[in-house]
Amino acid sequence: MSELSALLLTVTTAEPRPGTAKVTVTGEIDMTTRPRLDEELDRVLEAAPRRVVVDLFGVGFCGVTGVAALGRLRARCADAGIELVLKPSHVVRRALDLAAVGPLFRLEGREAEERLVAR
């Protein structure tokens, strides 16, 4: 992992309950940081959880590379029978909508996030 990637993106994983992995992502998802994100997501999927929740509320930039990374994650989860839930920030939600792929994901937490944006 490059030093720049570590500065621009933080990815942490927890197991809030057995069988569920929660991945919290903060920072920017772009070409520089995508390898860091992919590395952590690969590690999470290797553990074969029943459910993966990706908290993206702390993401302030999500480029095309980020949308593609989330699409690959969706496909891998579907192939493995893993339930995938995204909790997108306003920025991530907009990126998914602009790419016309938002409806392909199970998205949660939009109401709470939208209240924060409205302030």
Side-chain angles (χ1 to χ4, degrees):
M1 167 176 49
S2 76
E3 286 182 38
L4 180 59
S5 175
L7 291 172
L8 297 174
L9 184 77
T10 302
V11 184
T12 57
T13 302
E15 187 177 2
R17 65 183 75 87
T20 297
K22 180 180 180 188
V23 181
T24 303
V25 183
T26 57
E28 302 179 3
I29 306 174
D30 59 17
M31 290 187 325
T32 302
T33 61
R34 192 212 81 242
R36 167 75 182 109
L37 178 62
D38 286 345
E39 178 183 295
E40 186 63 21
L41 294 173
D42 288 347
R43 193 181 68 71
V44 167
L45 295 183
E46 285 173 9
R50 289 187 304 274
R51 183 175 199 243
V52 174
V53 178
V54 184
D55 179 341
L56 300 158
F57 284 140
V59 174
F61 177 82
C62 182
V64 173
T65 303
V67 172
L70 294 173
R72 282 191 303 278
L73 174 63
R74 181 187 164 278
R76 290 182 64 199
C77 285
D79 289 347
I82 298 170
E83 177 187 3
L84 174 64
V85 177
L86 298 184
K87 295 186 175 199
S89 67
H90 178 72
V91 168
V92 173
R93 175 64 193 206
R94 181 158 168 75
L96 294 173
D97 287 345
L98 287 172
V101 297
L104 300 177
F105 292 91
R106 178 173 171 196
L107 305 176
E108 289 184 356
R110 281 182 272 157
E111 298 80 12
E113 195 272 335
E114 286 172 358
R115 280 193 299 270
L116 288 174
V117 171
R119 290 183 184 175

